[in-house]
Amino acid sequence: MTQTQDGTRTRTFGWSDPAEHAHLVGRRSGLELLQAMSTGELPPPPVMHLIDGRNMRAEEGTVTVELDPQEFHYNPLGTVHGGVLSTLLDTAAACSVHSTLPAGVGYTSMDLNVKFLRPATIAGGRLTCTGTVLQRGRRTALAEARITDTAGRLIAHATSSCMIFDLPVA
């Protein structure tokens, strides 16, 4: 983010073409794809650049993503917008499901139930969001995600149902 002398603020960011690595989705497990993003072997999806998410870590059934609150995340009240927090929660919960899927199997979020418990601000420091699979069947999965600040206070939490499906053979 850049601030000029007249007080205007601007933000510029770029992203990689998501189609560039789409062919890997059916050839690698979900965990392999997420870990490749974590190490920088593959670029993160464009939404991570949009919200400025970082430091993804993935293990089977658990994914953690971090976000440093910035002014561009703020709502008119001067706190991180609920949509940004919801995006972070959806990412961690859904990716935790993705981390359990074999190659050739995909998923999509079916719902996201969010509870906001306290405001997040720049002063609260880095937000850590961890998603965990609670239950996974053949066609659906249930996951939860929790956002905490640097003091360990719970900012928001969510549950998410995901639909699991076979990917078309390319």
Side-chain angles (χ1 to χ4, degrees):
M1 186 171 79
T2 309
Q3 185 172 352
T4 62
Q5 286 188 4
D6 70 357
T8 346
R9 290 165 169 85
T10 62
R11 178 173 180 243
T12 304
F13 62 96
W15 62 91
S16 299
D17 178 357
E20 188 177 321
H21 300 290
H23 67 282
L24 297 174
V25 171
R27 292 183 171 83
R28 289 191 184 181
S29 72
L31 183 59
E32 290 169 336
L33 284 171
L34 293 166
Q35 288 178 335
M37 288 178 205
S38 296
T39 63
E41 176 190 342
L42 293 176
V47 70
M48 292 297 283
H49 295 284
L50 178 67
I51 66 168
D52 205 23
R54 56 189 69 238
N55 300 332
M56 183 188 339
R57 296 178 299 282
E59 299 174 15
E60 186 167 348
T62 302
V63 170
T64 299
V65 181
E66 296 176 342
L67 182 131
D68 292 319
Q70 302 294 320
E71 282 184 350
F72 60 82
H73 294 126
Y74 276 15
N75 61 29
L77 300 175
T79 62
V80 176
H81 191 282
V84 173
L85 297 174
S86 294
T87 300
L88 199 60
L89 290 161
D90 182 54
T91 298
C95 285
S96 72
V97 171
H98 193 192
S99 73
T100 69
L101 301 179
V105 178
Y107 73 97
T108 189
S109 298
M110 295 188 331
D111 61 37
L112 183 70
N113 185 346
V114 178
K115 300 293 183 201
F116 303 104
L117 303 174
R118 62 175 31 95
T121 64
I122 292 169
R126 178 168 286 174
L127 299 176
T128 301
C129 184
T130 301
T132 307
V133 174
L134 298 174
Q135 183 177 21
R136 191 184 134 221
R138 199 169 59 83
R139 293 290 166 218
T140 61
L142 177 65
E144 71 174 353
R146 301 167 55 87
I147 298 175
T148 56
D149 64 12
T150 54
R153 295 177 300 186
L154 185 61
I155 302 298
H157 66 92
T159 56
S160 176
S161 301
C162 292
M163 180 179 10
I164 300 169
F165 53 87
D166 294 329
L167 295 169
V169 179

